[in-house]
Amino acid sequence: MPIIDFFTGNQRLLHLLGGFAVGLFIGFRVLPVWFATTPPDEGQQQALQAEAADLEEQIERAVVALDVVDIADANLTLSLDHRLRRRGQAVVTVHLRNDATTDQLDGMATLVASLVEGVAPGQVTLIDGTGRQLNKSSIQEYEQKVFWTGIAINIAKILGILAALITVKFIIRAVGRSADSEQDCGIG
């Protein structure tokens, strides 16, 4: 029985579903066990909290040094993810001397993000003394960018898997043809 005949009719669907099930099992059960990570310990968390307090003071001094800001109060949240990469978010309450432009607000968010590793400008929220969010549109743009980037990455992964499956299919066909030609020539 040639290999090509093996993948005909309903068997193709069964093999595709079987391969999909094996892939899901490996992806969700086997790989997480092989590449398990440990959560950050108490010492790492305490070191992060102490560093966050120092960074809050640096942020406040840097933002107050700007011409449009009179008073600044920074609140910084730092954490470690499952791969022990640093993640953070900052909320800075500013009392402005006069109205700031969108570019000035974006510059403030960029300044704060540059002071803290693991914080992007879209993860910095600027609030005025009355509690009004000053850079809401910038944060929304950042969140949309992150969302669509994630979608694009997932589509690229799916296309890569499909390309690998097609390559395997052509390899199997080539092996089947070479086996058939060897039988026709009397080699086998």
Side-chain angles (χ1 to χ4, degrees):
M1 174 170 138
I3 293 177
I4 296 173
D5 291 341
F6 185 72
F7 290 101
T8 58
N10 290 333
Q11 289 179 343
R12 285 184 184 172
L13 180 61
L14 290 175
H15 289 287
L16 181 65
L17 291 175
F20 183 71
V22 168
L24 284 175
F25 175 76
I26 290 172
F28 287 104
R29 295 289 183 192
V30 175
L31 293 179
V33 172
W34 285 354
F35 300 106
T37 58
T38 58
D41 62 9
E42 192 66 34
Q44 290 173 321
Q45 292 290 0
Q46 290 175 352
L48 266 180
Q49 296 305 323
E51 187 178 359
D54 292 340
L55 287 170
E56 285 175 354
E57 292 175 14
Q58 288 180 14
I59 290 169
E60 290 169 2
R61 285 193 304 268
V63 171
V64 168
L66 299 173
D67 292 336
V68 295
V69 179
D70 194 25
I71 300 171
D73 180 37
N75 293 312
L76 182 62
T77 304
L78 292 178
S79 63
L80 296 174
D81 67 4
H82 67 283
R83 293 184 181 162
L84 300 180
R85 290 182 298 196
R86 195 152 96 171
R87 300 279 183 223
Q89 188 164 7
V91 177
V92 182
T93 304
V94 292
H95 297 274
L96 301 172
R97 292 185 179 128
N98 50 15
D99 287 339
T101 64
T102 304
D103 290 338
Q104 288 172 324
L105 294 173
D106 289 343
M108 271 187 244
T110 303
L111 173 67
V112 171
S114 69
L115 292 172
V116 183
E117 179 188 340
V119 174
Q123 296 169 316
V124 177
T125 303
L126 299 173
I127 299 174
D128 68 3
T130 63
R132 184 175 53 112
Q133 188 175 354
L134 300 173
N135 63 336
K136 188 174 186 173
S137 62
S138 297
I139 291 174
Q140 288 173 342
E141 288 175 16
Y142 173 78
E143 289 173 351
Q144 285 179 346
K145 177 182 172 186
V146 168
F147 173 78
W148 288 110
T149 301
I151 296 279
I153 288 170
N154 288 330
I155 289 172
K157 287 177 184 179
I158 291 168
L159 291 175
I161 291 168
L162 289 175
L165 290 173
I166 291 169
T167 303
V168 169
K169 177 182 175 183
F170 284 120
I171 290 171
I172 290 172
R173 280 188 180 173
V175 169
R177 286 186 186 139
S178 67
D180 288 342
S181 64
E182 288 176 3
Q183 287 177 353
D184 292 342
C185 295
I187 296 174

